[in-house]
Amino acid sequence: MAKTPRAPWKRSNPRKRAGKASRHLSPAQKSAAKARARRAGRRYPNLVDNMRMAAKKTSRKKTPKSKSSKAKSAKKSAKKSRKRTANKTAKSSRKRSASAREKDPRGGLTAAGRKAFARKQGAHLRPGVTKTEAEMTPQEMRRKGSWAVRFYGRAKLPPLVDAKGRPTRHALSAHAWGEPVPKTVAAARRIAAKGERLLARYRRAKG
């Protein structure tokens, strides 16, 4: 047979067994417990009604915020917003400065830019060939000829100057390869023709 549980007043306080401090009823809870006992015809104080009131969760009414607390909250929110904006600005500034360090203002990439490109894309870029044709090896002829035809020999060229007449990054890449920066299609085609000549010389040297 199952044991009949002992009455709560015959058991020791579980909080006391756990080494915790006893909780006391609030005045409102005591009044509610007393009214409950009166309705049931019990004498008060008694453990039954006190336990019932202690088990009930008291709902706290939200007090409306005062004007000063609202102002403080708005000030805190504005401060957080300013901090987020400052962080975003600093982050974009760091990105711009990193990008500026990687790009040579005269055209092409810097050594740092080539390293960054290798890290991101896995490609190992080398500096452009700026030697004269007489000084170039066959491999250098192939590299420069391939670049010239690829950049300036395509059917439709990207813009060579911007709205203010300044050369674009595409045009400035010619400087990195020791060529004059083209501002017109005709100038770009001349570089492409030179590239064709270099590739022809490379093929002859290889043959």
Side-chain angles (χ1 to χ4, degrees):
M1 290 179 67
K3 275 188 176 183
T4 307
R6 287 188 298 168
W9 49 85
K10 290 183 180 180
R11 297 197 303 265
S12 60
N13 189 335
R15 291 186 66 83
K16 194 174 181 180
R17 285 202 307 271
K20 296 177 182 178
S22 298
R23 285 185 297 199
H24 299 283
L25 296 179
S26 65
Q29 285 175 318
K30 283 181 182 178
S31 299
K34 191 173 183 179
R36 191 173 185 278
R38 194 186 305 115
R39 286 195 300 272
R42 287 188 290 268
R43 286 188 302 170
Y44 190 81
N46 66 73
L47 187 58
V48 173
D49 295 307
N50 283 350
M51 284 179 66
R52 179 65 65 181
M53 288 302 108
K56 283 188 177 181
K57 289 183 180 179
T58 55
S59 60
R60 292 181 181 178
K61 289 184 180 179
K62 288 185 180 179
T63 54
K65 285 185 178 181
S66 62
K67 285 184 180 179
S68 60
S69 63
K70 281 182 182 178
K72 282 180 184 176
S73 177
K75 194 175 180 181
K76 197 175 180 181
S77 163
K79 192 177 179 181
K80 282 183 180 178
S81 177
R82 283 197 300 273
K83 194 174 180 180
R84 280 196 299 269
T85 307
N87 287 341
K88 282 181 183 178
T89 307
K91 195 175 181 181
S92 61
S93 176
R94 283 195 298 270
K95 280 185 180 178
R96 282 196 300 272
S97 61
S99 178
R101 286 195 302 271
E102 292 168 6
K103 291 179 180 178
D104 189 333
R106 296 171 298 176
L109 297 173
T110 60
R114 287 191 291 275
K115 283 181 183 177
F117 198 90
R119 190 171 59 251
K120 293 172 190 173
Q121 307 288 340
H124 297 284
L125 300 179
R126 287 178 288 174
V129 178
T130 57
K131 296 177 183 177
T132 61
E133 289 188 40
E135 296 171 331
M136 288 183 204
T137 63
Q139 289 301 321
E140 287 170 339
M141 289 177 193
R142 182 188 62 77
R143 280 188 63 220
K144 186 162 183 175
S146 176
W147 160 79
V149 173
R150 190 171 67 252
F151 264 62
Y152 302 120
R154 62 183 75 178
K156 188 177 180 182
L157 287 173
L160 298 171
V161 291
D162 61 14
K164 293 183 179 179
R166 297 172 300 191
T168 60
R169 292 298 302 177
H170 187 82
L172 285 171
S173 62
H175 181 272
W177 290 82
E179 295 296 324
V181 176
K183 291 188 177 181
T184 62
V185 174
R189 297 305 186 202
R190 282 195 292 273
I191 297 174
K194 184 177 179 179
E196 291 286 2
R197 289 196 303 274
L198 287 171
L199 288 175
R201 282 188 63 188
Y202 162 72
R203 285 191 287 269
R204 284 198 300 272
K206 192 180 177 183

